[in-house]
């Protein structure tokens, strides 16, 4: 009797480890023979995984867009973490007689980012590219990204809080494709 029970348990454990990790196996165990809904079980395991977005799109600053004086470090903390393949959208109008120009630069290292040293930064979007639907930046590389506005020789970065860092993460592996 005990041996039979042990054998059954081994069978169940083996079966469970082959078929799924979390949601299904407990239900399968307790509902075996009862009115267990296999459609629900299948959906739970398969549809959710495939309908989950593989990447997200973020408008930097949300409705505030990309402007002087908004705390983008704070925004990045509250909206992160960011993953590879996520898209950051920078929205800012082209300058006119009453409004200031903005742009998007990326620093090569933390040190130049901290000091807003634009000599060690590359422009990724000029002052007109943030118009309309905005400038889209896809996070493709697994490395820290240091963004800032490059206008007024670092003044927008230093004094206007127009800077933030992104440390992209890799999306956890999904066992059900
Ligand atoms: C199982 O669930 C699905 C979706 O929730 C439903 O359409 C179906 O009628 C259910 N089947 C049974 C036998 O309860
Ligand atoms: C997906 O996951 C949610 C909970 O996160 C659950 O309520 C739902 O039944 C799952 N299945 C489908 C097909 O959405
Ligand atoms: C901006 O937000 C960060 C993180 O919340 C905070 O540490 C910092 O003091 C804020 N800066 C200003 C000038 O409010
Ligand atoms: C990013 O997307 C591309 C195709 O759009 C895909 O081939 C690649 O595997 C994705 N990378 C990650 C880390 O999701
Ligand atoms: C300048 O641009 C702002 C916003 O982009 C707009 O509201 C304003 O009317 C424009 N001013 C002039 C003089 O074109
Ligand atoms: C910004 O870049 C776009 C596209 O590369 C270009 O058409 C436009 O002339 C540039 N604007 C400025 C002000 O440099
Ligand atoms: Cu600016």
């Amino acid at each position: 009797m005990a041996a039979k029970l042990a054998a059954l348990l081994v069978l169940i454990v083996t079966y469970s480890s082959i078929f799924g990790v979390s949601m299904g196996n407990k239900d399968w165990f307790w509902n075996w023979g009862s009115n267990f809904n296999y459609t629900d079980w299948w959906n739970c395991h398969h549809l959710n995984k495939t309908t989950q977005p593989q990447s997200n799109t973020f408008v930097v600053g949300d409705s505030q867009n990309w402007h002087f004086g908004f705390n983008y470090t704070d925004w990045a903390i509250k909206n992160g973490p960011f993953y590879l393949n996520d898209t950051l959208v920078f929205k800012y109008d082209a300058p006119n007689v009453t409004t200031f120009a903005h742009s998007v630069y990326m620093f090569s290292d933390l040190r130049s980012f901290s000091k807003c040293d634009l000599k060690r930064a590359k422009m990724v979007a000029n002052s007109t590219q943030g118009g309309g639907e905005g400038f889209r930046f896809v996070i493709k590389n697994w490395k820290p990204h240091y963004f800032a506005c490059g206008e007024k020789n670092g003044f927008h970065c230093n004094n206007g809080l127009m800077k933030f860092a992104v440390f992209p993460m890799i999306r956890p592996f999904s066992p059900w494709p």
Side-chain angles (χ1 to χ4, degrees), residues 3-17:
K4 258 191 187 165
L5 195 65
L8 181 67
L9 276 174
V10 167
L11 191 72
I12 287 168
V13 168
T14 313
Y15 194 88
S16 306
S17 62

Side-chain angles (χ1 to χ4, degrees), residues 99-119:
T99 61
F100 291 111
H102 301 294
S103 57
V104 182
Y105 278 64
M106 206 159 71
F107 294 99
S108 53
D109 55 77
L110 177 62
R111 201 178 146 78
S112 49
F113 171 69
S114 312
K115 294 190 298 184
C116 291
D117 179 7
L118 286 163
K119 286 193 297 294

Side-chain angles (χ1 to χ4, degrees), residues 35-40 43:
N35 58 346
F36 181 66
N37 190 326
Y38 287 93
T39 309
D40 277 347
N43 286 348

Side-chain angles (χ1 to χ4, degrees), residues 92-99:
Y92 50 94
D93 288 320
N96 61 28
V97 285
T98 55
T99 61

Side-chain angles (χ1 to χ4, degrees), residues 66-68 100-103 149-151 156-157 162:
W66 187 234
H67 73 77
F68 191 94
F100 291 111
H102 301 294
S103 57
C149 178
E151 296 310 299
H156 284 204
C157 173
M162 297 186 77

Side-chain angles (χ1 to χ4, degrees), residues 58-67 70-72 75-76 79 89-91 164:
F58 300 86
V59 176
V60 177
D62 296 315
S63 60
Q64 292 280 316
N65 294 346
W66 187 234
H67 73 77
F70 183 79
N71 193 336
Y72 291 95
W75 177 87
N79 287 272
V89 184
F90 294 84
K91 286 187 172 178
F164 65 100

